[in-house]
């Protein structure tokens, strides 16, 4: 019996693969490598001493998915595959709706045919939209999303909620991520985007490495302590461990449940930049740029429910996030 990770060579997927293997699970990874590299499988093996089975496959392709399910006894799916750049979703919305919704629906169809009934979904705090007050709690209304990326997560949550209502054997866990940063302490896996980074931390590390001449800070006129956006930055290893707990929960509970995975603390963009410089002893030149379309001022979690029901709580702080991210960047080949 195996656990399928779609998008499992990506940033969050690869770290979750490590934690699942360390917890004793057999895993299968499916990824089309559109924003990752096959060498990540080697790194996972180096870290865990166990090589996961890998398929280079597009999760939107039903025939490819059916082959994976035919060749493996898949008992649960952790669905990471999908486009995730907020800015790009604003400029290319059709691309995002087509890919993200298709992948989830196709996966559900193939799971149903194969009798696989556990689905852990990689959702996002963006589903809380623009009108919610912080800290975000799971029972708050969702919608009014600020960008198409957020709307795809919102729509997939609704699809999965309806599917769980219609199928009494289905167990769905919706994990609303906040802002994952950092890397595995080995320095072998971390966030390595293709092209110009869309997320803050790889932009910082690439600037520190001299790959970019400065960091652009998008907006300094938000209603926050220093004018820059405030986010709930969470170490990716903490986030990955949350998925192991979610899988344990899905093994014991039917229906659909939602959990925030965050630290519960908001830090500004400049907090992160200044901490990175302090921890690593490196100057990061930055310039203030206009706000990005689709961004909001403040976002952070109330993570009490995950602590109470999953037995999960973030353990690593901003300094570890910055240290591990830079360690990975220095090891990048």
């Amino acid at each position: 019996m195996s656990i399928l990770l779609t998008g499992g060579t990506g940033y969050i997927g690869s770290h979750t693969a490590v934690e699942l293997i360390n917890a004793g699970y057999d895993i299968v990874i499916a990824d089309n490598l559109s924003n990752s590299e096959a060498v990540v499988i080697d790194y996972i093996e180096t870290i865990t001493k166990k090589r996961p089975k890998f398929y280079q496959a597009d999760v939107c392709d039903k025939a490819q998915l059916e082959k994976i399910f035919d060749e493996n006894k898949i008992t649960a799916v952790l669905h990471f595959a999908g486009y995730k750049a907020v800015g790009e979703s604003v400029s290319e919305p059709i691309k995002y709706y087509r890919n993200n919704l298709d992948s989830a629906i196709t996966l559900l169809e193939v799971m149903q045919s194969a009798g696989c009934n556990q689905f852990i979904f990689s959702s996002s705090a963006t589903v809380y939209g623009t009108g919610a007050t912080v800290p975000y709690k799971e029972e708050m209304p969702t919608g009014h999303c600020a960008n198409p990326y957020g709307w795809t997560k919102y729509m997939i949550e609704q699809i999965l909620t309806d599917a769980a209502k219609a199928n009494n054997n289905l167990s769905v866990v919706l994990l609303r991520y906040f802002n994952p940063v950092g890397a595995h302490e080995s320095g072998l896996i971390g966030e390595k985007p293709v092209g110009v980074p869309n997320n803050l931390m790889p932009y910082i590390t690439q600037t520190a490495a001299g790959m970019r001449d400065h960091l652009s800070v998008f907006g300094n006129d938000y209603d926050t302590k220093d004018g820059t956006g405030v986010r709930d930055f969470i170490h990716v290893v903490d986030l990955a461990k949350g998925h192991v707990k979610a899988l344990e929960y899905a093994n014991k509970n039917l229906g659909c449940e939602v959990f925030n995975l965050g630290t519960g603390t908001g830090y500004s963009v400049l907090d992160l930049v200044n901490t990175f410089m302090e921890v690593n002893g490196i100057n990061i030149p930055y310039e203030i740029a206009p706000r990005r379309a689709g961004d909001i001022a403040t976002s952070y979690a109330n993570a009490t429910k995950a602590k109470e029901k999953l037995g999960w709580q973030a353990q690593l702080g901003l300094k570890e996030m910055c240290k591990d991210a830079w360690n990975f960047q220095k090891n990048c080949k």
Side-chain angles (χ1 to χ4, degrees):
M1 296 189 294
S2 299
I3 310 300
L4 175 63
L5 280 67
T6 68
T9 57
Y11 177 42
I12 301 169
S14 61
H15 287 82
T16 303
V18 167
E19 297 303 323
L20 285 169
I21 293 171
N22 287 342
Y25 291 94
D26 291 320
I27 68 169
V28 175
I29 290 175
D31 201 303
N32 66 2
L33 304 178
S34 64
N35 196 36
S36 60
E37 300 171 317
V39 72
V40 169
I41 300 297
D42 298 333
Y43 297 148
I44 293 171
E45 182 181 20
T46 299
I47 294 168
T48 65
K49 306 299 186 283
K50 187 171 182 179
R51 189 173 186 85
K53 194 171 185 180
F54 173 65
Y55 292 84
Q56 184 171 347
D58 186 338
V59 184
C60 294
D61 188 318
K62 194 169 188 177
Q64 291 184 34
L65 264 186
E66 288 173 335
K67 180 176 187 291
I68 294 170
F69 275 81
D70 287 344
E71 295 179 358
N72 303 275
K73 178 59 178 175
I74 304 296
T75 57
V77 174
L78 280 72
H79 183 41
F80 300 98
Y83 295 139
K84 62 178 185 176
V86 168
E88 184 183 58
S89 79
V90 175
S91 60
E92 299 185 64
I94 303 304
K95 171 182 174 181
Y96 272 68
Y97 288 118
R98 169 64 71 187
N99 181 79
N100 291 6
L101 295 179
D102 268 8
S103 62
I105 293 170
T106 303
L107 189 53
L108 271 171
E109 289 174 342
V110 175
M111 285 175 62
Q112 185 172 356
S113 297
C116 176
N117 290 311
Q118 295 178 2
F119 195 119
I120 314 297
F121 178 52
S122 172
S123 192
S124 167
T126 57
V127 300
Y128 291 111
T130 56
T133 55
V134 292
Y136 297 159
K137 297 180 181 179
E138 290 88 349
E139 62 268 23
M140 285 180 170
T142 53
H144 303 289
C145 301
N147 50 71
Y149 164 74
W151 278 117
T152 67
K153 295 297 187 183
Y154 172 85
M155 292 174 184
I156 295 168
E157 281 197 8
Q158 187 63 54
I159 291 166
L160 289 169
T161 301
D162 291 340
K165 287 178 182 176
N167 181 354
N168 292 331
N169 295 315
L170 190 60
S171 177
V172 173
V173 179
L174 309 174
L175 296 178
R176 292 176 182 162
Y177 303 166
F178 282 70
N179 291 74
V181 296
H184 191 268
E185 63 181 0
S186 66
L188 290 174
I189 56 174
E191 190 170 13
K192 188 180 180 182
V194 175
V196 178
N198 289 293
N199 293 334
L200 177 60
M201 184 61 91
Y203 219 122
I204 291 174
T205 59
Q206 289 185 13
T207 303
M211 298 167 62
R212 307 197 178 277
D213 57 12
H214 72 279
L215 167 71
S216 294
V217 174
F218 296 106
N220 68 341
D221 57 350
Y222 289 108
D223 184 17
T224 61
K225 65 176 185 178
D226 59 22
T228 64
V230 168
R231 297 293 182 268
D232 189 336
F233 297 105
I234 177 173
H235 198 296
V236 67
V237 172
D238 277 333
L239 187 68
K241 290 178 178 178
H243 290 76
V244 179
K245 293 293 188 180
L247 185 58
E248 293 170 0
Y249 184 89
N251 282 331
K252 300 173 184 176
N253 297 275
L254 296 175
C256 184
E257 194 65 88
V258 56
F259 296 98
N260 288 334
L261 292 186
T263 66
T265 302
Y267 292 101
S268 74
V269 170
L270 291 183
D271 283 335
L272 189 66
V273 173
N274 291 330
T275 301
F276 185 94
M277 291 193 287
E278 174 192 340
V279 168
N280 297 306
I282 298 171
N283 183 56
I284 304 294
Y286 65 87
E287 295 178 1
I288 303 300
R291 295 184 184 188
R292 288 188 305 184
D295 277 351
I296 60 175
T298 303
S299 169
Y300 61 91
N302 179 317
T304 303
K305 185 178 178 182
K307 181 180 180 181
E308 292 177 348
K309 287 198 171 186
L310 299 182
W312 173 89
Q313 188 173 16
Q315 301 295 321
L316 301 169
L318 214 56
K319 290 184 177 180
E320 290 92 347
M321 300 176 205
C322 292
K323 176 177 68 69
D324 291 339
W326 178 230
N327 183 46
F328 169 70
Q329 182 67 59
K330 290 187 292 185
N331 286 317
C332 274
K333 296 177 177 64

